[in-house]
mmCIF file of all heavy atoms in Angstrom:
data_model
loop_
_atom_site.group_PDB
_atom_site.id
_atom_site.type_symbol
_atom_site.label_atom_id
_atom_site.label_comp_id
_atom_site.label_asym_id
_atom_site.label_seq_id
_atom_site.Cartn_x
_atom_site.Cartn_y
_atom_site.Cartn_z
ATOM 1 N N SER A 1 10.197 14.667 -0.314
ATOM 2 C CA SER A 1 10.248 13.901 0.943
ATOM 3 C C SER A 1 9.165 12.824 0.954
ATOM 4 O O SER A 1 9.388 11.727 1.493
ATOM 5 C CB SER A 1 10.117 14.824 2.150
ATOM 6 O OG SER A 1 8.892 15.513 2.121
ATOM 7 N N PHE A 2 8.017 13.092 0.348
ATOM 8 C CA PHE A 2 6.966 12.082 0.283
ATOM 9 C C PHE A 2 7.408 10.900 -0.588
ATOM 10 O O PHE A 2 7.218 9.746 -0.218
ATOM 11 C CB PHE A 2 5.665 12.693 -0.251
ATOM 12 C CG PHE A 2 4.532 11.716 -0.342
ATOM 13 C CD1 PHE A 2 4.063 11.056 0.789
ATOM 14 C CD2 PHE A 2 3.934 11.441 -1.565
ATOM 15 C CE1 PHE A 2 3.020 10.148 0.710
ATOM 16 C CE2 PHE A 2 2.890 10.533 -1.654
ATOM 17 C CZ PHE A 2 2.427 9.883 -0.517
ATOM 18 N N GLU A 3 8.010 11.189 -1.732
ATOM 19 C CA GLU A 3 8.519 10.116 -2.588
ATOM 20 C C GLU A 3 9.602 9.310 -1.867
ATOM 21 O O GLU A 3 9.646 8.080 -1.983
ATOM 22 C CB GLU A 3 9.061 10.693 -3.900
ATOM 23 C CG GLU A 3 7.976 11.237 -4.805
ATOM 24 C CD GLU A 3 8.520 11.949 -6.028
ATOM 25 O OE1 GLU A 3 9.735 12.241 -6.089
ATOM 26 O OE2 GLU A 3 7.724 12.217 -6.934
ATOM 27 N N GLN A 4 10.447 9.981 -1.114
ATOM 28 C CA GLN A 4 11.478 9.273 -0.362
ATOM 29 C C GLN A 4 10.857 8.395 0.726
ATOM 30 O O GLN A 4 11.344 7.290 0.981
ATOM 31 C CB GLN A 4 12.475 10.279 0.224
ATOM 32 C CG GLN A 4 13.313 10.923 -0.858
ATOM 33 C CD GLN A 4 14.117 12.112 -0.362
ATOM 34 O OE1 GLN A 4 14.119 12.457 0.806
ATOM 35 N NE2 GLN A 4 14.816 12.763 -1.289
ATOM 36 N N ARG A 5 9.772 8.860 1.330
ATOM 37 C CA ARG A 5 9.073 8.046 2.329
ATOM 38 C C ARG A 5 8.475 6.798 1.691
ATOM 39 O O ARG A 5 8.563 5.694 2.246
ATOM 40 C CB ARG A 5 7.976 8.884 2.992
ATOM 41 C CG ARG A 5 7.231 8.151 4.068
ATOM 42 C CD ARG A 5 6.246 9.065 4.761
ATOM 43 N NE ARG A 5 5.036 8.315 5.029
ATOM 44 C CZ ARG A 5 3.825 8.812 5.024
ATOM 45 N NH1 ARG A 5 3.630 10.095 4.757
ATOM 46 N NH2 ARG A 5 2.797 8.063 5.289
ATOM 47 N N ILE A 6 7.883 6.947 0.505
ATOM 48 C CA ILE A 6 7.335 5.796 -0.223
ATOM 49 C C ILE A 6 8.451 4.794 -0.506
ATOM 50 O O ILE A 6 8.316 3.594 -0.251
ATOM 51 C CB ILE A 6 6.682 6.246 -1.549
ATOM 52 C CG1 ILE A 6 5.466 7.128 -1.288
ATOM 53 C CG2 ILE A 6 6.299 5.027 -2.403
ATOM 54 C CD1 ILE A 6 4.989 7.895 -2.521
ATOM 55 N N ALA A 7 9.556 5.298 -1.035
ATOM 56 C CA ALA A 7 10.695 4.430 -1.363
ATOM 57 C C ALA A 7 11.218 3.728 -0.121
ATOM 58 O O ALA A 7 11.497 2.517 -0.155
ATOM 59 C CB ALA A 7 11.810 5.249 -2.026
ATOM 60 N N GLN A 8 11.316 4.455 0.991
ATOM 61 C CA GLN A 8 11.812 3.851 2.226
ATOM 62 C C GLN A 8 10.876 2.738 2.696
ATOM 63 O O GLN A 8 11.333 1.660 3.069
ATOM 64 C CB GLN A 8 11.960 4.905 3.318
ATOM 65 C CG GLN A 8 12.426 4.312 4.644
ATOM 66 C CD GLN A 8 12.539 5.351 5.734
ATOM 67 O OE1 GLN A 8 12.336 6.537 5.529
ATOM 68 N NE2 GLN A 8 12.882 4.899 6.917
ATOM 69 N N GLU A 9 9.566 2.987 2.678
ATOM 70 C CA GLU A 9 8.629 1.955 3.121
ATOM 71 C C GLU A 9 8.697 0.722 2.223
ATOM 72 O O GLU A 9 8.684 -0.408 2.714
ATOM 73 C CB GLU A 9 7.199 2.505 3.193
ATOM 74 C CG GLU A 9 7.003 3.421 4.377
ATOM 75 C CD GLU A 9 5.545 3.701 4.702
ATOM 76 O OE1 GLU A 9 4.650 2.999 4.182
ATOM 77 O OE2 GLU A 9 5.300 4.625 5.495
ATOM 78 N N LEU A 10 8.781 0.927 0.919
ATOM 79 C CA LEU A 10 8.873 -0.220 0.015
ATOM 80 C C LEU A 10 10.179 -0.985 0.233
ATOM 81 O O LEU A 10 10.178 -2.216 0.265
ATOM 82 C CB LEU A 10 8.715 0.218 -1.437
ATOM 83 C CG LEU A 10 7.262 0.534 -1.825
ATOM 84 C CD1 LEU A 10 7.203 1.353 -3.107
ATOM 85 C CD2 LEU A 10 6.457 -0.751 -1.953
ATOM 86 N N GLN A 11 11.285 -0.265 0.403
ATOM 87 C CA GLN A 11 12.564 -0.929 0.686
ATOM 88 C C GLN A 11 12.467 -1.748 1.969
ATOM 89 O O GLN A 11 12.940 -2.884 2.030
ATOM 90 C CB GLN A 11 13.694 0.094 0.810
ATOM 91 C CG GLN A 11 14.082 0.769 -0.478
ATOM 92 C CD GLN A 11 14.860 -0.138 -1.416
ATOM 93 O OE1 GLN A 11 15.174 -1.278 -1.122
ATOM 94 N NE2 GLN A 11 15.165 0.384 -2.596
ATOM 95 N N GLU A 12 11.872 -1.169 3.004
ATOM 96 C CA GLU A 12 11.739 -1.872 4.277
ATOM 97 C C GLU A 12 10.827 -3.092 4.144
ATOM 98 O O GLU A 12 11.079 -4.123 4.765
ATOM 99 C CB GLU A 12 11.234 -0.927 5.367
ATOM 100 C CG GLU A 12 12.290 0.073 5.788
ATOM 101 C CD GLU A 12 11.813 1.057 6.838
ATOM 102 O OE1 GLU A 12 10.642 0.964 7.290
ATOM 103 O OE2 GLU A 12 12.607 1.932 7.216
ATOM 104 N N TYR A 13 9.778 -2.984 3.332
ATOM 105 C CA TYR A 13 8.912 -4.145 3.089
ATOM 106 C C TYR A 13 9.733 -5.271 2.447
ATOM 107 O O TYR A 13 9.671 -6.424 2.878
ATOM 108 C CB TYR A 13 7.723 -3.777 2.196
ATOM 109 C CG TYR A 13 7.009 -5.009 1.706
ATOM 110 C CD1 TYR A 13 6.098 -5.672 2.523
ATOM 111 C CD2 TYR A 13 7.295 -5.552 0.454
ATOM 112 C CE1 TYR A 13 5.478 -6.842 2.095
ATOM 113 C CE2 TYR A 13 6.685 -6.716 0.025
ATOM 114 C CZ TYR A 13 5.785 -7.357 0.854
ATOM 115 O OH TYR A 13 5.187 -8.520 0.430
ATOM 116 N N PHE A 14 10.490 -4.938 1.411
ATOM 117 C CA PHE A 14 11.233 -5.960 0.669
ATOM 118 C C PHE A 14 12.391 -6.570 1.464
ATOM 119 O O PHE A 14 12.922 -7.596 1.074
ATOM 120 C CB PHE A 14 11.735 -5.408 -0.668
ATOM 121 C CG PHE A 14 10.657 -5.334 -1.717
ATOM 122 C CD1 PHE A 14 10.104 -4.124 -2.092
ATOM 123 C CD2 PHE A 14 10.189 -6.484 -2.327
ATOM 124 C CE1 PHE A 14 9.107 -4.057 -3.047
ATOM 125 C CE2 PHE A 14 9.182 -6.438 -3.282
ATOM 126 C CZ PHE A 14 8.639 -5.222 -3.639
ATOM 127 N N THR A 15 12.768 -5.943 2.569
ATOM 128 C CA THR A 15 13.784 -6.548 3.431
ATOM 129 C C THR A 15 13.155 -7.241 4.634
ATOM 130 O O THR A 15 13.877 -7.765 5.486
ATOM 131 C CB THR A 15 14.805 -5.497 3.914
ATOM 132 O OG1 THR A 15 14.115 -4.490 4.650
ATOM 133 C CG2 THR A 15 15.583 -4.910 2.754
ATOM 134 N N GLY A 16 11.827 -7.208 4.728
ATOM 135 C CA GLY A 16 11.130 -7.879 5.813
ATOM 136 C C GLY A 16 11.007 -7.074 7.088
ATOM 137 O O GLY A 16 10.562 -7.581 8.104
ATOM 138 N N ARG A 17 11.375 -5.793 7.051
ATOM 139 C CA ARG A 17 11.309 -4.961 8.254
ATOM 140 C C ARG A 17 9.995 -4.202 8.388
ATOM 141 O O ARG A 17 9.759 -3.580 9.423
ATOM 142 C CB ARG A 17 12.468 -3.969 8.272
ATOM 143 C CG ARG A 17 13.817 -4.646 8.455
ATOM 144 C CD ARG A 17 14.934 -3.653 8.715
ATOM 145 N NE ARG A 17 14.939 -2.504 7.833
ATOM 146 C CZ ARG A 17 15.746 -2.356 6.791
ATOM 147 N NH1 ARG A 17 16.636 -3.281 6.492
ATOM 148 N NH2 ARG A 17 15.701 -1.274 6.048
ATOM 149 N N LEU A 18 9.137 -4.213 7.371
ATOM 150 C CA LEU A 18 7.873 -3.466 7.405
ATOM 151 C C LEU A 18 6.733 -4.395 7.018
ATOM 152 O O LEU A 18 6.822 -5.071 5.988
ATOM 153 C CB LEU A 18 7.935 -2.278 6.434
ATOM 154 C CG LEU A 18 6.681 -1.427 6.382
ATOM 155 C CD1 LEU A 18 6.776 -0.315 7.424
ATOM 156 C CD2 LEU A 18 6.493 -0.828 5.008
ATOM 157 N N ILE A 19 5.696 -4.413 7.828
ATOM 158 C CA ILE A 19 4.536 -5.245 7.482
ATOM 159 C C ILE A 19 3.278 -4.418 7.237
ATOM 160 O O ILE A 19 2.298 -4.942 6.728
ATOM 161 C CB ILE A 19 4.267 -6.338 8.530
ATOM 162 C CG1 ILE A 19 3.939 -5.745 9.881
ATOM 163 C CG2 ILE A 19 5.446 -7.280 8.628
ATOM 164 C CD1 ILE A 19 3.468 -6.777 10.899
ATOM 165 N N HIS A 20 3.301 -3.136 7.593
ATOM 166 C CA HIS A 20 2.149 -2.253 7.372
ATOM 167 C C HIS A 20 2.625 -0.956 6.725
ATOM 168 O O HIS A 20 3.483 -0.270 7.281
ATOM 169 C CB HIS A 20 1.450 -1.906 8.688
ATOM 170 C CG HIS A 20 0.869 -3.078 9.374
ATOM 171 N ND1 HIS A 20 -0.230 -3.748 8.896
ATOM 172 C CD2 HIS A 20 1.236 -3.718 10.498
ATOM 173 C CE1 HIS A 20 -0.501 -4.751 9.707
ATOM 174 N NE2 HIS A 20 0.375 -4.763 10.679
ATOM 175 N N PHE A 21 2.058 -0.631 5.581
ATOM 176 C CA PHE A 21 2.389 0.619 4.906
ATOM 177 C C PHE A 21 1.585 1.757 5.526
ATOM 178 O O PHE A 21 0.436 1.569 5.929
ATOM 179 C CB PHE A 21 2.084 0.526 3.409
ATOM 180 C CG PHE A 21 2.991 -0.416 2.683
ATOM 181 C CD1 PHE A 21 2.577 -1.705 2.385
ATOM 182 C CD2 PHE A 21 4.267 -0.032 2.313
ATOM 183 C CE1 PHE A 21 3.411 -2.588 1.720
ATOM 184 C CE2 PHE A 21 5.117 -0.908 1.656
ATOM 185 C CZ PHE A 21 4.681 -2.185 1.357
ATOM 186 N N THR A 22 2.193 2.933 5.589
ATOM 187 C CA THR A 22 1.487 4.114 6.092
ATOM 188 C C THR A 22 1.222 5.139 5.000
ATOM 189 O O THR A 22 0.468 6.071 5.228
ATOM 190 C CB THR A 22 2.277 4.783 7.236
ATOM 191 O OG1 THR A 22 3.516 5.286 6.717
ATOM 192 C CG2 THR A 22 2.526 3.815 8.375
ATOM 193 N N VAL A 23 1.854 4.990 3.847
ATOM 194 C CA VAL A 23 1.651 5.969 2.775
ATOM 195 C C VAL A 23 0.233 5.823 2.222
ATOM 196 O O VAL A 23 -0.260 4.705 2.067
ATOM 197 C CB VAL A 23 2.691 5.828 1.649
ATOM 198 C CG1 VAL A 23 4.071 6.184 2.150
ATOM 199 C CG2 VAL A 23 2.672 4.453 1.025
ATOM 200 N N PRO A 24 -0.432 6.931 1.943
ATOM 201 C CA PRO A 24 -1.777 6.844 1.382
ATOM 202 C C PRO A 24 -1.740 6.377 -0.069
ATOM 203 O O PRO A 24 -0.780 6.652 -0.797
ATOM 204 C CB PRO A 24 -2.310 8.275 1.484
ATOM 205 C CG PRO A 24 -1.088 9.141 1.531
ATOM 206 C CD PRO A 24 0.002 8.310 2.164
ATOM 207 N N VAL A 25 -2.772 5.655 -0.455
ATOM 208 C CA VAL A 25 -2.916 5.215 -1.840
ATOM 209 C C VAL A 25 -4.218 5.761 -2.396
ATOM 210 O O VAL A 25 -5.172 6.002 -1.646
ATOM 211 C CB VAL A 25 -2.879 3.675 -1.970
ATOM 212 C CG1 VAL A 25 -1.540 3.123 -1.523
ATOM 213 C CG2 VAL A 25 -4.008 3.021 -1.210
ATOM 214 N N ALA A 26 -4.243 5.977 -3.695
ATOM 215 C CA ALA A 26 -5.435 6.488 -4.371
ATOM 216 C C ALA A 26 -5.635 5.722 -5.676
ATOM 217 O O ALA A 26 -5.445 6.266 -6.761
ATOM 218 C CB ALA A 26 -5.304 7.987 -4.633
ATOM 219 N N PRO A 27 -5.997 4.449 -5.582
ATOM 220 C CA PRO A 27 -6.194 3.676 -6.811
ATOM 221 C C PRO A 27 -7.484 4.086 -7.507
ATOM 222 O O PRO A 27 -8.509 4.300 -6.856
ATOM 223 C CB PRO A 27 -6.271 2.235 -6.295
ATOM 224 C CG PRO A 27 -6.825 2.369 -4.916
ATOM 225 C CD PRO A 27 -6.254 3.665 -4.380
ATOM 226 N N GLU A 28 -7.415 4.214 -8.807
ATOM 227 C CA GLU A 28 -8.613 4.521 -9.582
ATOM 228 C C GLU A 28 -9.203 3.227 -10.104
ATOM 229 O O GLU A 28 -8.485 2.391 -10.663
ATOM 230 C CB GLU A 28 -8.271 5.462 -10.735
ATOM 231 C CG GLU A 28 -7.913 6.854 -10.262
ATOM 232 C CD GLU A 28 -7.733 7.835 -11.410
ATOM 233 O OE1 GLU A 28 -7.691 7.414 -12.584
ATOM 234 O OE2 GLU A 28 -7.631 9.024 -11.117
ATOM 235 N N GLY A 29 -10.501 3.063 -9.903
ATOM 236 C CA GLY A 29 -11.181 1.865 -10.373
ATOM 237 C C GLY A 29 -12.668 1.991 -10.139
ATOM 238 O O GLY A 29 -13.158 2.994 -9.615
ATOM 239 N N THR A 30 -13.377 0.954 -10.518
ATOM 240 C CA THR A 30 -14.821 0.927 -10.319
ATOM 241 C C THR A 30 -15.131 0.695 -8.839
ATOM 242 O O THR A 30 -14.251 0.316 -8.061
ATOM 243 C CB THR A 30 -15.464 -0.208 -11.137
ATOM 244 O OG1 THR A 30 -15.010 -1.462 -10.599
ATOM 245 C CG2 THR A 30 -15.098 -0.110 -12.622
ATOM 246 N N ASP A 31 -16.383 0.891 -8.461
ATOM 247 C CA ASP A 31 -16.781 0.623 -7.078
ATOM 248 C C ASP A 31 -16.508 -0.838 -6.719
ATOM 249 O O ASP A 31 -16.039 -1.132 -5.619
ATOM 250 C CB ASP A 31 -18.256 0.956 -6.857
ATOM 251 C CG ASP A 31 -18.522 2.458 -6.866
ATOM 252 O OD1 ASP A 31 -17.576 3.246 -6.683
ATOM 253 O OD2 ASP A 31 -19.699 2.841 -7.065
ATOM 254 N N PHE A 32 -16.799 -1.760 -7.638
ATOM 255 C CA PHE A 32 -16.549 -3.175 -7.391
ATOM 256 C C PHE A 32 -15.059 -3.419 -7.157
ATOM 257 O O PHE A 32 -14.669 -4.090 -6.206
ATOM 258 C CB PHE A 32 -17.055 -4.035 -8.559
ATOM 259 C CG PHE A 32 -16.768 -5.500 -8.377
ATOM 260 C CD1 PHE A 32 -17.592 -6.294 -7.591
ATOM 261 C CD2 PHE A 32 -15.663 -6.089 -8.989
ATOM 262 C CE1 PHE A 32 -17.318 -7.650 -7.405
ATOM 263 C CE2 PHE A 32 -15.385 -7.441 -8.816
ATOM 264 C CZ PHE A 32 -16.217 -8.223 -8.014
ATOM 265 N N GLU A 33 -14.210 -2.861 -8.030
ATOM 266 C CA GLU A 33 -12.762 -3.041 -7.875
ATOM 267 C C GLU A 33 -12.288 -2.494 -6.540
ATOM 268 O O GLU A 33 -11.495 -3.143 -5.845
ATOM 269 C CB GLU A 33 -12.019 -2.357 -9.033
ATOM 270 C CG GLU A 33 -12.181 -3.079 -10.348
ATOM 271 C CD GLU A 33 -11.676 -2.294 -11.538
ATOM 272 O OE1 GLU A 33 -11.572 -1.044 -11.469
ATOM 273 O OE2 GLU A 33 -11.379 -2.929 -12.566
ATOM 274 N N LYS A 34 -12.796 -1.341 -6.134
ATOM 275 C CA LYS A 34 -12.380 -0.758 -4.859
ATOM 276 C C LYS A 34 -12.804 -1.637 -3.686
ATOM 277 O O LYS A 34 -12.060 -1.763 -2.706
ATOM 278 C CB LYS A 34 -12.929 0.653 -4.706
ATOM 279 C CG LYS A 34 -12.239 1.658 -5.621
ATOM 280 C CD LYS A 34 -12.839 3.033 -5.465
ATOM 281 C CE LYS A 34 -12.171 4.026 -6.409
ATOM 282 N NZ LYS A 34 -12.743 5.369 -6.271
ATOM 283 N N ARG A 35 -13.971 -2.261 -3.770
ATOM 284 C CA ARG A 35 -14.394 -3.182 -2.705
ATOM 285 C C ARG A 35 -13.459 -4.384 -2.642
ATOM 286 O O ARG A 35 -13.075 -4.834 -1.559
ATOM 287 C CB ARG A 35 -15.845 -3.633 -2.931
ATOM 288 C CG ARG A 35 -16.841 -2.550 -2.610
ATOM 289 C CD ARG A 35 -18.301 -2.996 -2.528
ATOM 290 N NE ARG A 35 -18.658 -4.296 -2.991
ATOM 291 C CZ ARG A 35 -19.322 -4.570 -4.120
ATOM 292 N NH1 ARG A 35 -19.682 -3.599 -4.933
ATOM 293 N NH2 ARG A 35 -19.630 -5.810 -4.437
ATOM 294 N N VAL A 36 -13.104 -4.896 -3.814
ATOM 295 C CA VAL A 36 -12.164 -6.026 -3.877
ATOM 296 C C VAL A 36 -10.818 -5.608 -3.291
ATOM 297 O O VAL A 36 -10.239 -6.311 -2.460
ATOM 298 C CB VAL A 36 -11.999 -6.544 -5.323
ATOM 299 C CG1 VAL A 36 -10.823 -7.512 -5.440
ATOM 300 C CG2 VAL A 36 -13.297 -7.190 -5.809
ATOM 301 N N TRP A 37 -10.301 -4.456 -3.700
ATOM 302 C CA TRP A 37 -8.990 -4.011 -3.228
ATOM 303 C C TRP A 37 -9.005 -3.777 -1.720
ATOM 304 O O TRP A 37 -8.026 -4.066 -1.041
ATOM 305 C CB TRP A 37 -8.542 -2.761 -3.974
ATOM 306 C CG TRP A 37 -8.411 -2.967 -5.459
ATOM 307 C CD1 TRP A 37 -8.177 -4.154 -6.117
ATOM 308 C CD2 TRP A 37 -8.530 -1.983 -6.470
ATOM 309 N NE1 TRP A 37 -8.129 -3.939 -7.468
ATOM 310 C CE2 TRP A 37 -8.346 -2.626 -7.724
ATOM 311 C CE3 TRP A 37 -8.775 -0.614 -6.456
ATOM 312 C CZ2 TRP A 37 -8.392 -1.933 -8.929
ATOM 313 C CZ3 TRP A 37 -8.824 0.078 -7.657
ATOM 314 C CH2 TRP A 37 -8.633 -0.591 -8.880
ATOM 315 N N GLN A 38 -10.105 -3.254 -1.187
ATOM 316 C CA GLN A 38 -10.197 -3.055 0.265
ATOM 317 C C GLN A 38 -10.139 -4.406 0.971
ATOM 318 O O GLN A 38 -9.431 -4.566 1.963
ATOM 319 C CB GLN A 38 -11.492 -2.315 0.636
ATOM 320 C CG GLN A 38 -11.621 -2.030 2.121
ATOM 321 C CD GLN A 38 -10.576 -1.065 2.648
ATOM 322 O OE1 GLN A 38 -10.432 0.035 2.114
ATOM 323 N NE2 GLN A 38 -9.851 -1.452 3.674
ATOM 324 N N ALA A 39 -10.867 -5.381 0.455
ATOM 325 C CA ALA A 39 -10.850 -6.725 1.057
ATOM 326 C C ALA A 39 -9.468 -7.357 0.951
ATOM 327 O O ALA A 39 -8.995 -8.004 1.894
ATOM 328 C CB ALA A 39 -11.900 -7.614 0.395
ATOM 329 N N ILE A 40 -8.801 -7.155 -0.169
ATOM 330 C CA ILE A 40 -7.434 -7.682 -0.324
ATOM 331 C C ILE A 40 -6.514 -7.012 0.698
ATOM 332 O O ILE A 40 -5.667 -7.661 1.302
ATOM 333 C CB ILE A 40 -6.922 -7.469 -1.763
ATOM 334 C CG1 ILE A 40 -7.670 -8.394 -2.724
ATOM 335 C CG2 ILE A 40 -5.408 -7.687 -1.851
ATOM 336 C CD1 ILE A 40 -7.400 -8.116 -4.203
ATOM 337 N N GLY A 41 -6.697 -5.728 0.904
ATOM 338 C CA GLY A 41 -5.884 -5.011 1.878
ATOM 339 C C GLY A 41 -6.074 -5.500 3.298
ATOM 340 O O GLY A 41 -5.211 -5.293 4.150
ATOM 341 N N ASP A 42 -7.188 -6.153 3.560
ATOM 342 C CA ASP A 42 -7.466 -6.680 4.896
ATOM 343 C C ASP A 42 -6.852 -8.056 5.134
ATOM 344 O O ASP A 42 -6.918 -8.574 6.249
ATOM 345 C CB ASP A 42 -8.983 -6.755 5.124
ATOM 346 C CG ASP A 42 -9.611 -5.368 5.247
ATOM 347 O OD1 ASP A 42 -8.882 -4.388 5.508
ATOM 348 O OD2 ASP A 42 -10.845 -5.266 5.073
ATOM 349 N N ILE A 43 -6.255 -8.663 4.100
ATOM 350 C CA ILE A 43 -5.594 -9.961 4.292
ATOM 351 C C ILE A 43 -4.333 -9.708 5.115
ATOM 352 O O ILE A 43 -3.467 -8.935 4.711
ATOM 353 C CB ILE A 43 -5.218 -10.615 2.945
ATOM 354 C CG1 ILE A 43 -6.448 -10.816 2.059
ATOM 355 C CG2 ILE A 43 -4.501 -11.957 3.186
ATOM 356 C CD1 ILE A 43 -6.122 -11.205 0.621
ATOM 357 N N PRO A 44 -4.211 -10.346 6.264
ATOM 358 C CA PRO A 44 -3.042 -10.092 7.113
ATOM 359 C C PRO A 44 -1.728 -10.483 6.433
ATOM 360 O O PRO A 44 -1.672 -11.412 5.631
ATOM 361 C CB PRO A 44 -3.286 -10.985 8.341
ATOM 362 C CG PRO A 44 -4.765 -11.200 8.365
ATOM 363 C CD PRO A 44 -5.173 -11.241 6.907
#
């Protein structure tokens, strides 16, 4: 069900019906990369 929720959110994004994802992400990277990714995530 979690995988189906991810798929549904991505499908809705690609059709323009979703602008904010709710699924949690766990990217692995350095502290610098995580700071960059957090800032990128804040771009409206």
Side-chain angles (χ1 to χ4, degrees):
S1 60
F2 180 60
E3 290 173 348
Q4 291 169 3
R5 182 175 141 213
I6 295 165
Q8 178 181 357
E9 286 195 13
L10 284 163
Q11 290 287 357
E12 288 178 2
Y13 168 81
F14 282 106
T15 60
R17 292 190 314 258
L18 180 90
I19 62 172
H20 297 290
F21 292 99
T22 65
V23 294
V25 297
E28 290 187 350
T30 66
D31 289 341
F32 178 82
E33 288 169 338
K34 288 178 181 180
R35 286 192 348 253
V36 168
W37 300 335
Q38 182 65 54
I40 289 171
D42 290 341
I43 302 169

